[in-house]
Amino acid sequence: MAVTIKDVAKLANVAPSTVSRVIANNPRISEQTKRRVREAMEELGYHPNYNARSLANRSTQTIGLVMPSSADKALQNPFFPEVLRGISTKAHEKEYTLYLSTGATEEEMLQGVMGMVHGRRVDGIVMLYSRIDDKIMAFLEQQNFPFTVIGKPLVNPDSITHVDNDNFRAAKDVTDHFIGKGHERIAFVGGNLDLVVTVDRLSGYEKALREADIPYRDDYVVHVEFLKEGGHEAVMELFSLEQPPTALVVADDLMALGIMSKLDEMGLSVPQDVSIISFNNVMLAEYASPPLTSVDINIFQLGYQAVNCLLEKIDDNEMASKRVCIPHQVVDRWSVRTLNESEKVN
Amino acid sequence: MAVTIKDVAKLANVAPSTVSRVIANNPRISEQTKRRVREAMEELGYHPNYNARSLANRSTQTIGLVMPSSADKALQNPFFPEVLRGISTKAHEKEYTLYLSTGATEEEMLQGVMGMVHGRRVDGIVMLYSRIDDKIMAFLEQQNFPFTVIGKPLVNPDSITHVDNDNFRAAKDVTDHFIGKGHERIAFVGGNLDLVVTVDRLSGYEKALREADIPYRDDYVVHVEFLKEGGHEAVMELFSLEQPPTALVVADDLMALGIMSKLDEMGLSVPQDVSIISFNNVMLAEYASPPLTSVDINIFQLGYQAVNCLLEKIDDNEMASKRVCIPHQVVDRWSVRTLNESEKVN
DNA sequence: TTTTATTAAGAAATCGTTTACAATAAATGA
DNA sequence: TCATTTATTGTAAACGATTTCTTAATAAAA
């Protein structure tokens, strides 16, 4: 059917093994035969069959990607295309290709991952999220299969190679930022508490308050299911309090967008009535009205480094696991206002 | 190393071929031996090696996905996660897995696709976009490799199986919608003219105007490079005209968002000063302030059906190519205002 | 009882590579 | 001149499945 290494061998009058060596550019083959073989390949339009190669090699040169469940609204977050860009850049550099694992339920996804691992479809896996008590991660660990995580694994983070931001610090920075601008009634709107990133950011927020001697109020902390409906509820709760907050630390740009839309409906305006800082700094943050002050977590690098670590791991699975921390940076736009003295009274 | 079919065979005291038949649930094997073999598989924790299988079978049970260049901002569009959801749903149903082709430049992407095809990594390909004069599509056609396109191919659309909306009609509907509400100064803000979808929508817009005897004005048609900066320029142009438009047909929700942000800056409000209808109805349309009236193009179905067609094609490559048209529907929200009589004077 | 079907399972070839191990020929050195 | 390197290529056995023939055993038919 298709042209194989044998056809090339025949035409070039050499053995198949020689052709294989030419492909690998093995120095033990003379330049002369190399030329002859290459001409034959050219003439026949030969291309190696990757399946055969993987079989013989026991390596696939592909890495598996585990994204959140396709049913999960979180997938709509522009975070993913961007992290994918980082991943694919590094993968391309090293001539690795990408295999996508999907599924609607956690069970379906686990099946998919088990298929990748057992079926030897991939050499390693990068997990694009980090959830508390995740079965997939548990499985990979138990199998001792090379993988890296984007975000911080909750259970034994020290034995799992991962790349993450210092989310604790980032949230603290943001909260400090507000405090520095005179805010004291600062609320925290987090995402799904199953995500480690949420709890990290919440701790950072708490710490900043504590350091500034601002009392932590339970009713200033809400968690929403990431997309619109949730955002609306949260805003309702927050702003029907006797003392509504003047500033919001929001765990995600998209959530901030939803909140702003609700605020708008309620006749509150940003930043006059409420200041907002959110996380991720996806392109949309710039689009919002007003443009959102957001902390840039360098999503591209998260992906790029995750693959980098994974490749090291694939190369030597016994290598010590490590944690790579990607720097963040708050980028100022127009969603934050400085309170003046008279407003500061609580 | 890993447990193979031979190990199972040995333990179950049968030949490897028998094990293979048990896996395929071949009726020529007695229930009794099937049970024995299955027990052995269980005991050893056997899982078939997909590479070996693909090699023997000449089929990979995986489909390749060609997305826009990872450098392309368009990738940030929530269109993609949603279409991916459709794709992965159908793929899962039929036990196909997904292979991702990426690349920063068109050349890089073409290399990737050539790799998939020649290296027999995938059984078929779905193209997630349709661009004018696309090399990848040309390559696939020339190779007679099974593929389907989401969107309408410009060159010989009749010989390429594709799934698309009736974008001409959709744009006409939207424009008619505006006309029905008394608008006459209707502008069109399109995306990249290389994308077939853009030209289709533009024609629909024109047609509606013509039918309503509203003159087509060149200065009411602008094209922007999809993301923010472009959106801003376009708005500037449009609203610095002597007779600025009262309604905007915008080719994409995200673009509409950018435009609204600029409008806000200029002190114009939606829908009081300008009405907007955009396309795609991604979740964000609901978030915007005000929530956007948008035409739902049923993105999920685009993906789902594309895979459906592809699988038919893989099954029988000689099958006639077809065009599947996914219905659309404009969903009304709050970005459109009805002009009253006094305003209608031009 | 012999012949013919039928059923169940094994033997061996195949898919397209890679690679350990030979093999050959030319070059070197004593 | 003959042993020994060295450089180059070939042989054949993996890699882990599938699948086409066979074959052995049993049941049915003659």
Side-chain angles (χ1 to χ4, degrees), chain A residues 110-185:
Chain A
L110 180 58
Q111 291 305 323
V113 172
M114 288 174 65
M116 302 208 276
V117 173
H118 287 137
R120 303 244 128 58
R121 281 182 198 272
V122 301
D123 294 342
I125 286 179
V126 7
M127 307 251 320
L128 298 203
Y129 65 92
S130 168
R131 232 183 7 197
I132 286 174
D133 194 29
D134 186 71
K135 282 182 190 165
I136 297 178
M137 210 148 83
F139 167 76
L140 291 173
E141 222 186 338
Q142 174 236 315
Q143 293 282 317
N144 193 27
F145 195 79
F147 76 105
T148 60
V149 176
I150 292 180
K152 182 165 78 184
L154 189 73
V155 291
N156 34 19
D158 293 332
S159 69
I160 296 179
T161 292
H162 62 283
V163 6
D164 194 13
N165 302 103
D166 186 343
N167 280 304
F168 173 88
R169 185 56 194 259
K172 183 167 177 308
D173 286 352
V174 164
T175 313
D176 284 341
H177 191 92
F178 276 140
I179 295 171
K181 301 240 171 188
H183 291 271
E184 298 205 331
R185 306 215 301 265

Side-chain angles (χ1 to χ4, degrees), chain B residues 164-194:
Chain B
D164 194 13
N165 302 103
D166 187 343
N167 281 304
F168 174 87
R169 184 58 193 259
K172 184 168 176 306
D173 286 353
V174 165
T175 314
D176 284 341
H177 191 91
F178 276 140
I179 295 173
K181 301 240 171 189
H183 291 269
E184 297 205 333
R185 307 214 303 263
I186 307 169
F188 179 89
V189 185
N192 190 331
L193 268 170
D194 278 1

Side-chain angles (χ1 to χ4, degrees), chain A residues 5 17 20-21 46 49 52-53 56:
Chain A
I5 216 172
S17 53
S20 175
R21 289 186 181 111
Y46 168 80
N49 178 315
R53 208 177 241 196

